[in-house]
Amino acid sequence: MLQVNMESSIRTVFGKGPMRQLRMKEMTPANVYSGGAQPVPLQFETAVLFKNLLFIHGRNAVITLKVEGDSKSERFVLVQEIQKDPITGNLLHVDFLEIELSKPLKFTVPVEYTGTAKGVDLGGELQVYKEAIQLQGCPLDIPDVIQADITPLEQGGAGLTYGDLPVPANVQMLETPGTVCVAVH
């Protein structure tokens, strides 16, 4: 899984007016939530935060937050929600969810099909039914993408199922193994 380091500091201002002033100083407010504990209010440099969020967009990523002025030296988090201005697209607020790296979590991982199926070369049409897979495991054990070679698929064959996908041994697949992901018709 992708890992990104980010730096932030504890936010000491709250409310609508102070948040606007904070954003005018090119800072973005954020919160870190962690299972029932009080949320930790943070602030980020907007340009750096936007660049990091753009880099991890659409991917599973564990973010290591180094928080200036916090009792913990670093926190491991996932992006929970990003709020943007609907007209300008500017960042307004980001929520993070603190996680434990040793605790299994559920993730949706994209499936990437490589190669050209034999059946397609013979005039068949490739039908992709599933483009992602649900996996459960420790966050750092989850792969960025599952790659599957479709070269041996023939026309009218059984196709490739979830059970045929190469899933790492220490990760559990949460899908039905017999479900067809891709076939040639």
Side-chain angles (χ1 to χ4, degrees):
M1 179 173 284
L2 183 65
Q3 289 185 275
V4 177
N5 295 323
M6 290 189 193
E7 294 185 12
S8 68
S9 57
I10 295 291
R11 177 169 41 99
T12 56
V13 296
F14 302 93
K16 189 175 184 179
M19 289 300 107
R20 284 185 179 160
Q21 292 174 354
L22 188 70
R23 290 183 190 103
M24 287 171 35
K25 294 177 187 174
E26 299 296 319
M27 300 294 280
T28 301
N31 285 327
V32 174
Y33 296 96
S34 61
Q38 279 292 100
V40 179
L42 302 176
Q43 62 187 27
F44 290 85
E45 290 181 41
T46 300
V48 175
L49 178 63
F50 188 79
K51 181 181 173 186
N52 284 326
L53 291 175
L54 194 60
F55 175 68
I56 64 173
H57 177 70
R59 300 162 73 181
N60 293 318
V62 173
I63 300 168
T64 304
L65 278 181
K66 293 181 179 19
V67 182
E68 181 182 315
D70 189 16
S71 58
K72 287 186 175 181
S73 60
E74 59 186 22
R75 295 173 180 264
F76 299 103
V77 298
L78 300 173
V79 175
Q80 186 173 7
E81 182 181 7
I82 300 172
Q83 295 176 8
K84 293 169 53 173
D85 185 288
I87 296 172
T88 63
N90 294 337
L91 276 177
L92 295 178
H93 188 87
V94 180
D95 287 334
F96 296 99
L97 179 64
E98 188 170 10
I99 60 169
E100 294 179 34
L101 296 180
S102 60
K103 186 178 176 185
L105 297 171
K106 295 178 185 177
F107 292 94
T108 301
V109 178
V111 178
E112 184 178 288
Y113 301 107
T114 59
T116 304
K118 290 179 184 176
V120 172
D121 286 339
L122 298 173
E125 184 179 331
L126 186 69
Q127 295 288 318
V128 178
Y129 301 112
K130 306 289 182 183
E131 295 181 347
I133 184 172
Q134 292 280 327
L135 299 177
Q136 182 172 344
C138 294
L140 297 180
D141 294 337
I142 302 292
D144 287 339
V145 67
I146 300 287
Q147 291 189 336
D149 183 24
I150 59 170
T151 307
L153 292 180
E154 295 184 8
Q155 195 169 351
L160 192 69
T161 64
Y162 276 129
D164 297 330
L165 297 178
V167 176
N170 50 354
V171 173
Q172 178 185 0
M173 179 177 53
L174 300 177
E175 305 287 354
T176 306
T179 304
V180 176
C181 301
V182 63
V184 178
H185 297 286

